[in-house]
Amino acid sequence: MLGFFLRRAGLVVPTFLGITLLVFSLIHLIPGNAVEALSGERGMDPARYARLMNEFGLDQPLYQQYLQYLWKIMQGDLGRSIITHEPVLGEFLSLFPATLELSCCAMLLALILGLPAGVLAALKRNTLLDYSVMGVSLTGYSMPIFWWALLLILLFSVTLGWTPVSGRIDILFDLPPITGLMLIDSLLSGESGAFKSALSHLILPTIALGTIPLAVIARMTRSAMLEVLREDYVRTARAKGLSRLRVIGIHALRNALIPVITVIGLQVGTLLAGAILTETIFSWPGVGKWLVEAIHRRDYPVVQGGILLTASIVILVNLGVDILYGIINPRIRRSS
Amino acid sequence: MALLEIENLSVMFGSASRPLRALDGLDLCMEQGEVVGIVGESGSGKSTAGLALMGLIDYPGRVTARRMSFADRDLLMMPESERQTLRGKDIAMIFQDPLASLNPCFSIAYQLEETLRVHQAGTRAELRSQTLALLRLVEIPDAEQRLDAYPHQLSGGMCQRVMLAMAIACNPRLLIADEPTTALDVTVQAQMLELLTGLQKQRGMALLLITHDLGVVAQVAHRVVVMYAGQVMEQGRVPDIFDAPRHPYTQALLASLPEYNVGRKRLATIPGNVPSQHERPQGCVLHPRCSNAQEICRTLVPDPAEFPNALVRCHFPLDKTVGPCKQNLTA
Ligand SMILES: Nc1ncnc2c1ncn2[C@@H]1O[C@H](COP(=O)(O)OP(=O)(O)OP(=O)(O)O)[C@@H](O)[C@H]1O
Ligand SMILES: [Mg+2]
């Protein structure tokens, strides 16, 4: 088990280095001048230009610049925003809980609905229920997020007036950030109505963001389940006199989850990409919205740092999923 | 009173308009402690018969019978919940492919304990020690170390022993063994068979042994059921049938045994193949492959005829005085 863990963890290092290389090149690939891009100033006099060149280390050979960049990253220095002059890491950390909350809720929604839907569709294959589940999930999968989000807003916020259009909580509430997760903070604050407000703000973005993972998980669960139900060990489980619930819920599902977990891991990347769109549409103050705004303002240090951090999170989550995969699948764990 | 009584058991797959008869009118009676062998070529409906006894034929398969009773309980009228408590407790089954039959995600101990747990009460420690005793009973070496092993860490022979331990865990009165040695190495087949029959004798359980090896049947069974294309061709006591088969098909099967071919260059074989479910011939299912076939065989399905100690489904049963190999089947 330890060997398996170390091998997987070892893969993280080269992946991370690859990303730093990409992010590092970004600043040299943008049209125009790196000094202007990093400082946000234009038409400066030669003396200031030379000083900034030196300050950003741009007068050194490329490999040295890269090493220095790596060194800074190791120390947690991702530079400062051109606009706010705040450290990039600090801004990221203060915004990340909002993205985390949204992503977790979306993934939870996808799992809570997707797994049972997939199992049911497999058990009732080629019935109306199966066709409906698969039809709906294919529709969900092919729906562009921004369009789907706008439809949701039009129906539930504008026409029916059930949910708010944007933000994380009503502006009447001024809650101190404790965990950064609004659902928890609103409960901790003890203010009446705060939790309900936070929840109602969360519903639509969660649905918009969770739809694609939901569709993917439902379809994958169905096909994995169909495969597993044909296996000899399912027949053995029934021959032992186990209840139908136990045969399906324990013997079949446990095996069907193995491929599903891989798919869930892959969905984390999709989820963060989707978060960028969702946060922008719902004015959700998270990392995604921050990144999009940074791109509009050509705030390159923020773009660089944001991409690096987001990518690192995807890598780490995938590492976690790999390890989970090893735990749930004894064949992997023992043989390696 | 017999332990198991089955009359006219049929299993149908396919649609209602185009039914496919995988099993067609099986009559079977088994006493407590009796060993009955079912033999037949591939596709003759042996496994289907075993699964139907277990109540494990799934939709769209349909099971019908005139009578189906086990220990005086009517299996046909029994609600599914009651049938479920019978499975694994009073009637147990082991299968052909032992490695595929064990769940790869759970340890041996878990899968064994689970069987005990659903049919009886007991503390964790009791279950654990019972599990260990079962593994020892099926002669698994280093049983303690194997408890927490996963199926993929064991050989095929070991897996089949675990399956056997699981099947006999709750002292079943009837064990159905569906080709329990076919997937094993030749070297361990004999050991497995010995273990199986040893436990059968020791526990006095009835054993329904499905195989396509007549040699095995001769060795261990009291009675034999010879199947072909879903139908029983002949059944009766082993010594009678091996001495003087009344059905041309049984005779041909016997003639293809190596024991009857000593001194010959080639084994006798039965020409042709088992017809698939879609192309069952009119009349007697065997007639295209039977050298004794007459006009009536092509049009009329023979009914099973009773002989002393035997049932034979043939229009022209063989003369009892003529031994095997004296008459031959040709294409
Ligand atoms: N679930 C099913 N659906 C449709 N047809 C089936 C099903 N199960 C079995 N059959 C058919 O029933 C017939 C008998 O199959 P069965 O598995 O009982 O044969 P068998 O005698 O056990 O053969 P083998 O020696 O290969 O195990 C075959 O023609 C098979 O195709
Ligand atoms: Mg079979």
Side-chain angles (χ1 to χ4, degrees), chain A residues 70-83:
Chain A
L70 270 187
W71 177 241
K72 279 188 176 171
I73 291 174
M74 293 305 149
Q75 291 168 314
D77 178 5
L78 293 177
R80 281 170 186 273
S81 158
I82 296 170
I83 314 286

Side-chain angles (χ1 to χ4, degrees), chain A:
Chain A
M1 188 69 200
L2 189 69
F4 170 74
F5 177 83
L6 289 178
R7 238 190 324 272
R8 289 295 149 119
L11 282 179
V12 165
V13 178
T15 321
F16 181 75
L17 284 179
I19 292 166
T20 57
L21 206 57
L22 269 180
V23 169
F24 170 75
S25 334
L26 178 74
I27 214 69
H28 296 276
L29 290 177
I30 47 173
N33 184 300
V35 174
E36 288 187 354
L38 285 173
S39 64
E41 296 173 32
R42 254 154 229 234
M44 53 192 107
D45 62 81
R48 177 157 173 75
Y49 186 85
R51 223 190 65 226
L52 283 178
M53 264 306 253
N54 182 267
E55 191 177 303
F56 292 130
L58 291 172
D59 49 357
Q60 287 166 339
L62 268 183
Y63 77 91
Q64 224 163 358
Q65 289 183 33
Y66 176 64
L67 288 181
Q68 245 160 20
Y69 175 69
L70 270 187
W71 177 241
K72 279 188 176 171
I73 291 174
M74 293 305 149
Q75 291 168 314
D77 178 5
L78 293 177
R80 281 170 186 273
S81 158
I82 296 170
I83 314 286
T84 63
H85 300 288
E86 294 291 323
V88 171
L89 185 63
E91 285 200 345
F92 178 89
L93 289 179
S94 72
L95 292 170
F96 183 64
T99 302
L100 184 69
E101 185 171 41
L102 177 58
S103 307
C104 285
C105 288
M107 190 46 101
L108 219 59
L109 176 82
L111 287 175
I112 289 175
L113 294 183
L115 287 177
V119 171
L120 273 182
L123 292 179
K124 309 262 173 212
R125 68 177 164 282
N126 300 336
T127 62
L128 191 62
L129 179 84
D130 180 21
Y131 297 142
S132 324
V133 169
M134 286 305 104
V136 168
S137 82
L138 187 62
T139 314
Y141 183 70
S142 359
M143 199 112 72
I145 289 193
F146 67 89
W147 186 66
W148 175 223
L150 289 177
L151 277 187
L152 288 172
I153 291 177
L154 272 179
L155 179 62
F156 292 104
S157 307
V158 178
T159 311
L160 296 170
W162 289 354
T163 56
V165 180
S166 65
R168 294 178 80 190
I169 195 161
D170 212 314
I171 42 168
L172 295 177
F173 298 100
D174 186 19
L175 306 180
I178 303 169
T179 60
L181 304 175
M182 199 55 88
L183 286 179
I184 298 177
D185 284 354
S186 62
L187 275 180
L188 291 178
S189 73
E191 285 193 48
S192 66
F195 180 72
K196 197 167 158 244
S197 170
L199 194 64
S200 66
H201 280 79
L202 192 56
I203 290 175
L204 287 193
T206 299
I207 295 176
L209 183 56
T211 301
I212 288 179
L214 166 61
V216 173
I217 288 172
R219 296 182 76 83
M220 190 65 216
T221 307
R222 175 182 179 271
S223 69
M225 201 69 187
L226 278 181
E227 196 124 308
V228 164
L229 285 174
R230 274 197 296 269
E231 295 284 349
D232 285 0
Y233 52 76
V234 170
R235 190 183 55 196
T236 307
R238 296 173 64 203
K240 281 157 70 166
L242 304 186
S243 66
R244 195 173 153 73
L245 190 68
R246 238 191 121 74
V247 172
I248 291 160
I250 303 222
H251 283 264
L253 191 59
R254 176 70 187 264
N255 284 278
L257 275 184
I258 293 172
V260 173
I261 282 183
T262 313
V263 167
I264 294 174
L266 293 176
Q267 282 304 304
V268 173
T270 317
L271 202 65
L272 284 178
I276 293 182
L277 282 170
T278 314
E279 289 180 1
T280 307
I281 293 169
F282 288 94
S283 299
W284 189 265
V287 171
K289 181 161 168 284
W290 174 64
L291 262 179
V292 170
E293 280 166 4
I295 291 170
H296 286 317
R297 295 174 184 161
R298 298 181 198 279
D299 193 343
Y300 289 106
V302 168
V303 174
Q304 277 183 306
I307 291 176
L308 183 66
L309 289 166
T310 316
S312 308
I313 286 169
V314 173
I315 297 177
L316 287 182
V317 171
N318 274 295
L319 175 68
V321 168
D322 273 353
I323 290 168
L324 191 64
Y325 185 83
I327 290 174
I328 201 164
N329 186 354
R331 275 168 296 192
I332 294 275
R333 195 193 325 154
R334 303 282 172 131
S335 60
S336 52

Side-chain angles (χ1 to χ4, degrees), chain B residues 11-14 20-23 38-51 57-61 96 178-179 182 210-212 227 229-230 274-278 280:
Chain B
V11 177
M12 241 118 54
F13 293 106
L20 305 170
R21 278 180 187 273
L23 185 64
I38 297 188
V39 288
E41 289 169 89
S42 202
S44 54
K46 307 182 296 290
S47 300
T48 306
L51 290 172
I57 299 285
D58 281 323
Y59 182 84
Q96 179 169 343
D178 187 357
E179 309 201 25
T182 309
I210 297 172
T211 172
H212 42 235
M227 294 196 49
V274 184
S276 85
Q277 283 187 319
H278 304 273
R280 295 274 157 88

